[in-house]
Amino acid sequence: QFENSGGDNFFLDVHYGKSKEEVEKFLRDKAAYEKDLAEATNACDQEKYEAGMRKEGVASGELHKDGRVVFKSDRGIKPGVTHVMFNKALNPIGGPEGAIRLHVGFNKFAQGFELELIMDRIKGAPFDAENDWFGVDVQIPPTAYTVDMVVSDESKDNWDNNDGYDYRLLVEGSNASNEEWDARIQERIVYLSKMREQAEAAAKIAWKTRLKKREAAHKEATLVTRRQSAHIITCEPPYPKAGDLVKISYHPTNTNLGLATDVYITGGFNRWTLETAEVPATMMTRPTATADFVEFEMVIPTDAWMMDFVFSDGVGPGSTYDNHFGRDYHFPVEDSTTEKPPLHVCHIAVEMAPIAKVGGLGDVVTALARAIQDEGNLVEVILPKYQFFNASPMLGNMEFEVEFEALGTRIVVTKHVVEAITVFFVEPGNGMFNCDSVYGRNDDGVRFDFFCNAALEFLLQTNRQPDILHCHDWSTATVAASYWQNYHHNGLWKPKVVFTIHNMNYGQMKIGEACHHAQLTTTVSPSYAGEVSGHAAVRDNLHKFHGVRNGIDSEIWDPGTDQFLPMNYTAENHLDGKRRAREEIQQRFGLTWGSDQPMVAVVSRLTGQKGLDLIKHSIHHSLKRGAQFVLLGSAPDPKVQGDFQAMANAIGGPNAAFAFAFDEPLSHLVYAAADFVLVPSMFEPCGLTQMISMRYGAVPVVRATGGLRDTIFDVDTEKDRAAWEVDGSSDWRVSGDATNGFSFEGTDTGGLEYALDRGLDTYYNDPAWFRQFQERIMRQDWSWNRPALDYIELYYSAIRG
């Protein structure tokens, strides 16, 4: 017998004299101190243990360089206060009269710079061509066995570190006691705490800077979207507020209502959910008899956060409507008295970067989820719990969520936050995902069908009601049919289904079934949508088929913060950053180091889709044109791999490097080093390579197909299209040149050579223009900012439809 207060349980507040926040801070501080104590103790033990090694080759008494004494002291280098002297003669540091700043550490800079002191010129000391002495008192701790020094000018703009070897002198009579080493440990704890505080402060500043850039990019994405619809519809004022009187102008001649005599506007608010303030179909007026647009005025309700419109040539049956291809027309409203409710989107997928990434699908699931969440929505992901997750350092301490019987087995669901997204992991007791890879078993189809149903069962069992179920490719296509056939009428009533095709080449029967059952189907670029529109899997459902290009995660792919680069850089200093990356690649692969030859790169899986013959030809042609070439990729087909290995054996050397591997850290370096990245795909649903390359200042050379055509605009022939797609401008002369690469149409080597040669010619003949071109493409936004807005519109369209 239990009494649980009607299911609410009983609660009693307990007071410990401290608030929850104070207790949590105490525990955080305690954990940080214990971590610092352990690290400091280990570091000081290492300092003592390595004393002999760290003292090797260190000068005693005074330090000589270029035939003269450059460092010495008045009484020898001993623990306690020692007057250290530096001979600045013939050294330009600090200028003739400038101050000298001495940076001091101990025991081979075990704790970095521990002292920073201004040195003064020593009065009465010899002063001639060989002598110009500066001095300062230095407190040398009893645990020091070497004093390590570098000098700079007062502003720290110019440094002298003894050509990379630092200035180092032995400490005489160093024999510290255990108590003195214990004090050293406490000093190091303070040092570690200070470093942590500085790192946290720097991280906050960096976060604020990234947030500011992200907000600016998001605002620009919104503006581009508005500019691209301004020839159809505008609002005055352009940024309306709740309670405003607004004027809506509509240009029917640019729509399917171009022949309409009369135009009617039907309006609503808050994605058509504000039933108390609808705008019934009303005829719009022309401001003059000859005007090619019509207008309508209205007052926005105070509780509206969005205006919604469709247009028609009449009212009722038989009328023709312009509903923006099913998305309707919308204008956000500021200062509403009510908040916009978040969408609840649940992705059901078998891949998610970085924990289960095989190809671009994993990247898209993660990046799209983050982008939609950044717009203020609730986004979750459901994945199978593969066995290899147990060894993932990113997935420690998974939280138990629920356990239930379904589909003939016991299913356990755990959760963890991955890349700021809540992820649920479905683990069936039948062992279907006790495997060390995502794909590759003969029963992939059976396992993924089971997972689709298990994911839906999890939502049902936990009473979750997402607005959108977003499933991806053949592997989770079963979600669409199974939801409507088995779950919608059995308790999981709310969701609508959006299905995304990432690659039409696999699982076409399942793709066709999902297209039929989903409310909306998308694919990963508008051009690819057009290319596959005649395919049997989609052709009967073209009325709900949309192409939305993918984006890249601009925080993961950011040369300004990329941990895999020898030097971080931005558009402003890309020349130095790319040079350092190029030298790193040259050194790593034995290419001619320091050469200013152009570097052409391919980063790709070596499959037929990627244009193998064109890749092979491009290697020979690049070398013929005097470039260096780097290939990073591997082939699943042993014969293809063998062909490229033979090529590497034949021509690999000072100008050609081959790395046959999937190596993401190395790919970051290759993008940074390259001047050109070649993508000669036979077909490409979207492609991320060309967008990543632009982010790193590598100029894309692409075959104009699928997503490559939607993102790369040829320098010589596509200025108008670039202006429209990048800036939302109808005149590139006003908005500026937004072209960003070199493209070709055919599949022959002549087309490839034509595009690549034009790129190489600009590099050789006009290097100043080429560097400005690199800077321009780095500034373009190929993130998820605009695609996320498109997906949100499609989600709402699916809900309403």
Side-chain angles (χ1 to χ4, degrees):
Q1 297 281 331
F2 290 90
E3 170 57 49
N4 66 353
S5 187
D8 292 331
N9 298 327
F10 296 97
F11 297 94
L12 180 65
D13 289 336
V14 179
H15 298 281
Y16 295 97
K18 297 286 186 181
S19 67
K20 177 184 177 183
E21 291 74 18
E22 289 172 328
V23 172
E24 289 177 343
K25 182 179 185 304
F26 169 78
L27 293 175
R28 285 196 305 269
D29 291 345
K30 181 174 181 290
Y33 176 80
E34 290 173 351
K35 180 176 180 291
D36 289 346
L37 175 61
E39 184 176 338
T41 301
N42 290 336
C44 288
D45 287 344
Q46 190 173 6
E47 253 186 275
K48 289 189 284 186
Y49 179 76
E50 294 180 353
M53 181 181 67
R54 296 187 187 192
K55 291 192 290 185
E56 286 181 4
V58 179
S60 177
E62 55 187 30
L63 182 63
H64 293 253
K65 182 180 181 182
D66 298 331
R68 61 184 179 280
V69 177
V70 289
F71 267 102
K72 64 180 182 178
S73 74
D74 58 342
R75 62 177 187 88
I77 305 295
K78 300 176 182 179
V81 177
T82 296
H83 193 71
V84 173
M85 293 175 278
F86 167 62
N87 185 4
K88 184 187 171 302
L90 302 181
N91 191 328
I93 197 87
E97 301 297 332
I100 299 297
R101 193 181 291 270
L102 182 68
H103 306 266
V104 185
F106 306 99
N107 304 346
K108 204 171 183 181
F109 285 118
Q111 293 187 26
F113 293 155
E114 298 186 46
L115 299 171
E116 190 175 293
L117 307 164
I118 295 293
M119 306 188 82
D120 297 316
R121 187 172 268 118
I122 301 174
K123 295 179 181 180
F127 183 78
D128 52 39
E130 295 290 326
N131 294 278
D132 186 6
W133 289 94
F134 286 69
V136 69
D137 288 342
V138 177
Q139 179 72 47
I140 299 176
T143 52
Y145 45 77
T146 70
V147 177
D148 316 303
M149 299 165 286
V150 297
V151 294
S152 73
D153 55 20
E154 190 170 9
S155 62
K156 303 183 191 178
D157 291 328
N158 300 287
W159 294 72
D160 176 8
N161 66 350
N162 193 20
D163 302 321
Y165 294 98
D166 304 326
Y167 293 105
R168 308 185 64 215
L169 287 169
L170 288 174
V171 177
E172 303 169 17
S174 176
N175 187 22
S177 65
N178 289 335
E179 289 77 12
E180 288 167 331
W181 276 107
D182 288 342
R184 175 73 166 168
I185 290 173
Q186 293 302 315
E187 291 173 3
R188 187 165 186 85
I189 289 173
V190 173
Y191 166 76
L192 291 172
S193 177
K194 181 181 178 182
M195 292 299 100
R196 185 174 58 255
E197 290 173 0
Q198 290 178 351
E200 290 172 354
K204 287 181 181 178
I205 293 172
W207 168 250
K208 288 180 179 178
T209 301
R210 289 197 301 273
L211 187 62
K212 189 174 181 180
K213 288 182 178 179
R214 184 196 298 170
E215 289 172 348
H218 179 270
K219 182 177 181 180
E220 178 60 24
T222 304
L223 289 174
V224 170
T225 301
R226 286 198 176 194
R227 287 195 288 266
Q228 288 179 330
S229 62
H231 66 298
I232 296 174
I233 184 173
T234 58
C235 176
E236 184 60 40
Y239 299 97
K241 297 181 179 180
D244 279 355
L245 173 67
V246 296
K247 179 186 292 183
I248 304 299
S249 298
Y250 177 74
H251 298 255
T253 53
N254 295 325
T255 74
N256 61 323
L257 301 182
L259 299 178
T261 303
D262 298 317
V263 176
Y264 292 80
I265 182 171
T266 302
F269 302 92
N270 299 354
R271 300 286 180 176
W272 304 100
T273 63
L274 192 59
E275 297 178 359
T276 58
E278 296 177 346
V279 178
T282 305
M283 185 184 296
M284 303 181 75
T285 60
R286 297 182 186 272
T288 65
T290 58
D292 62 354
F293 64 94
V294 289
E295 297 177 335
F296 177 75
E297 288 189 342
M298 67 178 191
V299 176
I300 303 174
T302 57
D303 54 352
W305 43 263
M306 184 71 73
M307 294 188 292
D308 318 301
F309 303 106
V310 296
F311 302 91
S312 63
D313 61 1
V315 180
S319 299
T320 300
Y321 282 82
D322 173 15
N323 66 355
H324 198 204
F325 305 102
R327 305 185 196 189
D328 304 333
Y329 293 97
H330 305 279
F331 286 99
V333 177
E334 300 175 359
D335 296 345
S336 172
T337 58
T338 60
E339 289 189 9
K340 171 188 170 185
L343 284 169
H344 181 184
V345 179
C346 182
H347 290 269
I348 301 177
V350 301
E351 292 186 43
M352 182 186 184
I355 57 173
K357 175 182 173 179
V358 178
L361 168 59
D363 289 314
V364 170
V365 169
T366 303
L368 176 58
R370 288 179 56 174
I372 299 298
Q373 183 168 273
D374 286 345
E375 292 292 326
N377 301 293
L378 170 61
V379 184
E380 298 168 328
V381 176
I382 304 177
L383 291 176
K385 188 175 184 295
Y386 302 107
Q387 181 173 284
F388 61 80
F389 283 160
N390 295 330
S392 172
M394 296 185 65
L395 297 176
N397 301 318
M398 281 192 184
E399 295 181 37
F400 173 81
E401 181 68 18
V402 72
E403 184 176 3
F404 55 87
E405 291 280 348
L407 308 175
T409 189
R410 193 75 176 162
I411 295 175
V412 177
V413 179
T414 50
K415 71 177 179 180
H416 203 281
V417 175
V418 178
E419 297 293 321
I421 300 294
T422 297
V423 182
F424 296 101
F425 300 89
V426 175
E427 182 178 17
N430 57 20
M432 277 198 170
F433 298 101
N434 292 345
C435 51
D436 290 323
S437 62
V438 175
Y439 307 104
R441 287 176 34 167
N442 293 329
D443 62 347
D444 282 352
V446 174
R447 292 188 304 122
F448 293 148
D449 282 354
F450 174 90
F451 164 66
C452 291
N453 285 280
L456 293 169
E457 193 70 35
F458 160 65
L459 296 173
L460 177 65
Q461 295 278 351
T462 55
N463 297 315
R464 283 176 166 81
Q465 296 289 347
D467 296 298
I468 296 292
L469 297 176
H470 195 149
C471 47
H472 299 265
D473 254 356
W474 70 270
S475 50
T476 55
T478 297
V479 166
S482 186
Y483 168 70
W484 289 108
Q485 293 169 358
N486 304 322
Y487 289 91
H488 177 67
H489 299 292
N490 293 299
L492 187 59
W493 56 268
K494 186 179 182 182
K496 298 298 176 67
V497 180
V498 173
F499 173 59
T500 294
I501 303 168
H502 297 262
N503 194 326
M504 186 68 82
N505 276 16
Y506 305 98
Q508 294 169 359
M509 184 177 296
K510 288 189 174 183
I511 286 175
E513 184 180 54
C515 289
H516 173 73
H517 286 94
Q519 278 57 67
L520 285 176
T521 298
T522 70
T523 192
V524 292
S525 69
S527 287
Y528 187 64
E531 291 168 8
V532 302
S533 61
H535 194 285
V538 299
R539 67 188 177 203
D540 293 333
N541 294 283
L542 293 180
H543 60 288
K544 54 180 181 178
F545 186 45
H546 302 266
V548 181
R549 74 154 175 88
N550 287 340
I552 58 171
D553 191 315
S554 56
E555 292 187 4
I556 293 174
W557 298 103
D558 183 359
T561 59
D562 196 324
Q563 61 179 321
F564 301 120
L565 305 187
M567 172 185 169
N568 293 124
Y569 63 94
T570 63
E572 287 79 9
N573 67 333
H574 74 279
L575 189 59
D576 292 334
K578 291 185 70 64
R579 175 179 51 78
R580 288 281 299 278
R582 183 170 63 250
E583 291 171 351
E584 177 76 16
I585 285 287
Q586 290 168 335
Q587 183 175 12
R588 187 177 299 192
F589 290 102
L591 301 176
T592 302
W593 190 88
S595 167
D596 61 355
Q597 299 164 262
M599 183 173 285
V600 181
V602 167
V603 181
S604 174
R605 289 179 294 112
L606 300 176
T607 63
Q609 173 198 342
K610 301 300 181 179
L612 297 178
D613 290 340
L614 294 180
I615 291 174
K616 291 176 183 177
H617 185 78
S618 71
I619 298 173
H620 291 290
H621 190 71
S622 297
L623 299 180
K624 177 182 173 182
R625 288 295 315 271
Q628 293 184 330
F629 197 98
V630 177
L631 170 66
L632 172 60
S634 60
D637 184 334
K639 182 179 183 304
V640 173
Q641 185 67 56
D643 288 346
F644 277 92
Q645 186 62 61
M647 177 178 282
N649 295 339
I651 64 174
N655 288 315
F658 297 81
F660 298 118
F662 173 77
D663 188 335
E664 185 154 315
L666 179 57
S667 73
H668 288 241
L669 185 61
V670 172
Y671 285 123
D675 295 297
F676 300 93
V677 169
L678 178 66
V679 193
S681 303
M682 296 296 98
F683 69 94
E684 193 64 70
C686 180
L688 300 179
T689 300
Q690 76 280 11
M691 292 184 277
I692 296 170
S693 69
M694 288 189 282
R695 181 79 166 148
Y696 284 71
V699 176
V701 179
V702 307
R703 183 172 174 271
T705 181
L708 298 173
R709 184 182 185 279
D710 292 331
T711 53
I712 303 304
F713 313 107
D714 191 90
V715 165
D716 295 320
T717 62
E718 296 188 302
K719 287 182 170 56
D720 289 329
R721 194 165 72 90
W724 178 253
E725 296 294 342
V726 176
D727 297 320
S729 168
S730 57
D731 188 348
W732 70 269
R733 297 168 188 82
V734 175
S735 57
D737 189 349
T739 54
N740 54 14
F742 299 88
S743 63
F744 61 100
E745 295 283 346
T747 59
D748 59 295
T749 58
L752 167 68
E753 288 185 11
Y754 176 64
L756 185 54
D757 281 345
R758 285 185 292 132
L760 291 171
D761 287 345
T762 62
Y763 182 95
Y764 287 125
N765 300 333
D766 197 345
W769 180 91
F770 185 80
R771 298 308 177 191
Q772 290 175 351
F773 185 48
Q774 288 179 302
E775 180 178 341
R776 179 168 89 208
I777 65 176
M778 287 187 71
R779 295 186 188 280
Q780 292 185 356
D781 179 16
W782 295 103
S783 72
W784 278 94
N785 283 320
R786 285 172 62 192
L789 298 177
D790 290 337
Y791 266 107
I792 288 172
E793 291 301 323
L794 290 173
Y795 288 158
Y796 278 113
S797 178
I799 292 169
R800 186 163 180 249

